Amino acid sequence: GFVFARAAPARALRRCGGKLPRAAARLSGGAAAPAAAATTRVVDDIVSAALDRRSYRWVELDSGLRALLISDANSDKAAAALEVKTGHFDDPADVAGLAHFTEHMMFLGTESFPDERSFKDFIGRHGGSSNAFTGMESTGYHFGVNANALPEALGRFASFFAEPLLREDSARREMQAVHSEFQRNLQSDQRRIFQLLKSTCDPAHPFSKFSTGSLETLGGAAAAARGAPHELVRSFFETHYEPRRMTLCVLGQQPLDELEELVGKSFAGLARLVRSPLTAGAEALSAGPALEDASAGAFSAEAGSERALGDGSVQSGSGHGGAALAGPFTAAQRGGLLTMEPVREARMLRLLWEVEKEEAYVQSRATRLASAVLGSEVEGSLHWLLTRHLRPPLATSVSAGVSYSFSDSSLFSVAVSLTPEGLARHEEVSELVYGAIHLLRETAAAAPSGGGGLPPHVRAERATMARLAFEFADEAEPLGVVKALASRMHTPGLAPSQILSRPYSWPDEARAHPAPLRELLQWRAVQR
């Protein structure tokens, strides 16, 4: 069985007149800035590509906030992203969507900038944009702006987390916005498949929770029994928005020393949010999974959900030969077939298996190796067989990789975009997928050490491609960089010096043992 540690109620922050403590000094209108937070750790030796003209520094403030600073003197844009290690998995069972509702409320005025549109209007006047997302175990906020506006934009941004107003009248209006988002999602095949998986998984696992929220879940009788909507939001904020669960990434034209000073001043107000000890369950979640790059799957920042799954049939099997594995499906639910009629024309077969949490494969890269082989398009591959060799073709594309990542497990998938003929023969397509897995399993069983379960040249090829991708990558735009790195900073066991290079690292031959890939591939076929 699986036991998920839910955060226990935290001690409430001290209140002044029923509100969060007022900022010691205003950030606008020429008023004195708050005293800067002290820096308790600085890491400058961050591995970067030889051609990378940006400079980097990792700092940790006395509040526990971790920040990655990026100096780019040539950039005409600046950006920042802050990610909190809490998401809809932390929603109370009877207030579905509270994490998402809280995300919406954070934008609607602070003690220093009480107008609800203050931040968005400022960003808009300075050539920028802002947004946020609520994921399963993380919530992210980000903005981009003209480079010269970064200091004031960052101060306004920081006030979200130090002194949000979370007002009653704002909550009443914003519940309608959340409900409208829920109604839009009803016509989204991506979200329909996401909810289908959630509705049919183990109800004891937090993956089963409804993530978006609606008027019924946020303002119905069950939620009302807990308190008024704005009170529930404040309680969630006080419980989960703790600086030690936050990571920040800032990119600007300023030198690193100036960026460090700017972050220290802007986020000094977070010190009042520090709780000791950290809320029960928060430490485990703060060390939860973070996706290392887009090839491993990603959360959709704008929709607050996972990457597009496609549409059509979904199959779930079990990894590890049926051995007990903490995850979102019970033994009775594994090995089944789910079908869905899409809103828009689409044909998709997706096979899903529970595997270990992603961090278990960081050293071996077993999931990357399996993804590379099962998603390959070379002659003789599964893709070649389904799209080019068989007549008529049964598919138009094949992809493989980790689709969902949790603190206790992951879901690995093989997705096949089907032709009309392939949809009619989807059981045959499924058998061909398992045939490819069987061949890969046999290869791994016979493989010597040094290839990670495959012929050594395959691992060496992937390692070389990763190294070249790191060294010669195109310079990414500022907003995309800060969003990705703020998320990556939550990766368990990540050394600050490896924040840029870790997704591209591969074990050398001496450590490329075949056992992890062999264990990964113990997948059973659909039984029902």
Side-chain angles (χ1 to χ4, degrees):
F2 169 72
V3 178
F4 186 80
R6 293 183 60 188
R11 293 181 300 175
L13 295 175
R14 293 179 180 176
R15 305 271 184 110
C16 294
K19 296 181 179 180
L20 286 175
R22 188 170 295 274
R26 300 297 188 189
L27 301 176
S28 61
T39 301
T40 61
R41 186 185 185 193
V42 177
V43 178
D44 279 321
D45 60 337
I46 293 175
V47 178
S48 61
L51 300 179
D52 190 347
R53 59 187 177 84
R54 292 167 171 165
S55 53
Y56 303 86
R57 176 178 294 170
W58 175 299
V59 299
E60 296 179 14
L61 306 185
D62 53 4
S63 63
L65 174 71
R66 291 160 287 164
L68 180 66
L69 314 176
I70 307 174
S71 176
D72 184 348
N74 298 312
S75 177
D76 60 354
K77 292 290 184 180
L82 185 145
E83 188 162 304
V84 190
K85 208 62 186 173
T86 186
H88 80 257
F89 278 14
D90 284 326
D91 285 346
D94 50 358
V95 193
L98 183 56
H100 182 217
F101 185 29
T102 301
E103 172 228 303
H104 277 239
M105 288 289 293
M106 297 291 285
F107 282 92
L108 302 181
T110 68
E111 293 277 341
S112 296
F113 305 96
D115 186 87
E116 287 188 358
R117 291 198 54 84
S118 176
F119 182 74
K120 286 188 176 293
D121 286 348
F122 176 86
I123 295 297
R125 289 195 304 271
H126 293 84
S129 63
S130 63
N131 215 321
F133 71 89
T134 301
M136 293 181 288
E137 296 179 86
S138 61
T139 304
Y141 302 82
H142 50 267
F143 72 87
V145 73
N146 291 337
N148 60 1
L150 176 63
E152 185 171 352
L154 194 64
R156 290 171 176 266
F157 184 66
S159 70
F160 286 2
F161 311 101
E163 48 174 29
L165 289 175
L166 309 176
R167 292 172 288 204
E168 183 177 4
D169 57 341
S170 300
R172 286 196 298 267
R173 291 192 301 274
E174 205 59 27
M175 282 175 60
Q176 294 289 343
V178 170
H179 187 73
S180 295
E181 186 174 335
F182 158 64
Q183 291 180 312
R184 290 196 304 272
N185 289 342
L186 294 176
Q187 299 303 309
S188 166
D189 285 320
Q190 173 187 342
R191 294 306 299 254
R192 284 156 58 87
I193 288 183
F194 182 46
Q195 188 58 46
L196 178 63
L197 288 173
K198 293 167 74 65
S199 299
T200 56
C201 79
D202 182 359
H205 194 282
F207 183 59
S208 65
K209 295 181 178 181
F210 169 52
S211 60
T212 307
S214 66
L215 288 176
E216 180 181 355
T217 66
L218 297 171
R226 283 180 170 262
H230 72 289
E231 293 172 341
L232 297 178
V233 169
R234 185 175 296 281
S235 177
F236 190 92
F237 169 79
E238 292 175 354
T239 301
H240 297 290
Y241 278 62
E242 215 273 356
R244 285 171 288 184
R245 304 178 78 173
M246 298 178 182
T247 55
L248 171 72
C249 185
V250 179
L251 185 153
Q253 289 181 339
Q254 294 84 347
L256 290 174
D257 288 344
E258 290 186 24
L259 287 175
E260 182 178 342
E261 181 180 5
L262 177 61
V263 167
K265 289 181 177 179
S266 298
F267 288 87
L270 291 186
R272 68 171 61 91
L273 303 182
V274 175
R275 293 184 298 277
S276 183
L278 196 59
T279 302
E283 291 178 346
L285 281 173
S286 67
L291 300 174
E292 293 189 352
D293 60 21
S295 67
F299 297 147
S300 165
E302 314 311 331
S305 63
E306 290 62 35
R307 67 177 179 175
L309 292 178
D311 310 293
S313 300
V314 182
Q315 297 183 350
S316 62
S318 172
H320 303 274
L325 175 69
F329 301 110
T330 66
Q333 293 165 331
R334 295 173 186 138
L337 172 68
L338 302 175
T339 61
M340 188 193 90
E341 183 175 341
V343 174
R344 298 183 178 182
E345 183 179 1
R347 297 170 295 274
M348 173 72 73
L349 172 71
R350 182 172 289 265
L351 296 101
L352 293 164
W353 301 272
E354 288 172 310
V355 299
E356 296 290 346
K357 53 190 176 183
E358 280 198 273
E359 63 192 88
Y361 302 108
V362 168
Q363 295 300 323
S364 68
R365 295 300 194 204
T367 51
R368 298 281 187 89
L369 288 170
S371 300
V373 174
L374 294 174
S376 173
E377 299 183 8
V378 301
E379 184 174 347
S381 67
L382 178 64
H383 180 280
W384 170 83
L385 176 66
L386 293 173
T387 65
R388 300 201 299 273
H389 182 67
L390 295 177
R391 287 290 180 269
L394 302 182
T396 58
S397 68
V398 178
S399 61
V402 174
S403 291
Y404 298 92
S405 183
F406 317 117
S407 289
D408 65 316
S409 61
S410 300
L411 294 182
F412 188 96
S413 73
V414 174
V416 184
S417 295
L418 300 169
T419 62
E421 180 72 15
L423 180 62
R425 297 163 57 185
H426 69 270
E427 292 184 355
E428 180 181 343
V429 175
S430 179
E431 292 175 359
L432 291 172
V433 172
Y434 276 100
I437 293 170
H438 177 72
L439 290 175
L440 182 56
R441 185 187 303 126
E442 287 188 335
T443 301
S449 296
L454 295 174
H457 76 273
V458 176
R459 186 212 63 84
E461 177 186 88
R462 303 304 300 180
T464 299
M465 291 176 63
R467 178 179 57 80
L468 293 174
F470 176 65
E471 291 294 343
F472 299 101
D474 293 333
E475 186 172 88
E477 55 90 19
L479 188 55
V481 169
V482 297
K483 288 162 59 178
L485 293 177
S487 178
R488 192 181 301 165
M489 291 171 73
H490 285 288
T491 306
L494 174 66
S497 61
Q498 304 298 313
I499 181 66
L500 304 178
S501 61
R502 181 166 173 175
Y504 304 91
S505 65
W506 281 73
D508 56 35
E509 285 196 26
R511 295 185 295 122
H513 196 274
L517 183 61
R518 294 171 185 169
E519 295 170 3
L520 174 69
L521 294 171
Q522 299 307 305
W523 296 328
R524 295 181 298 170
V526 169
Q527 300 166 332
R528 299 186 305 282

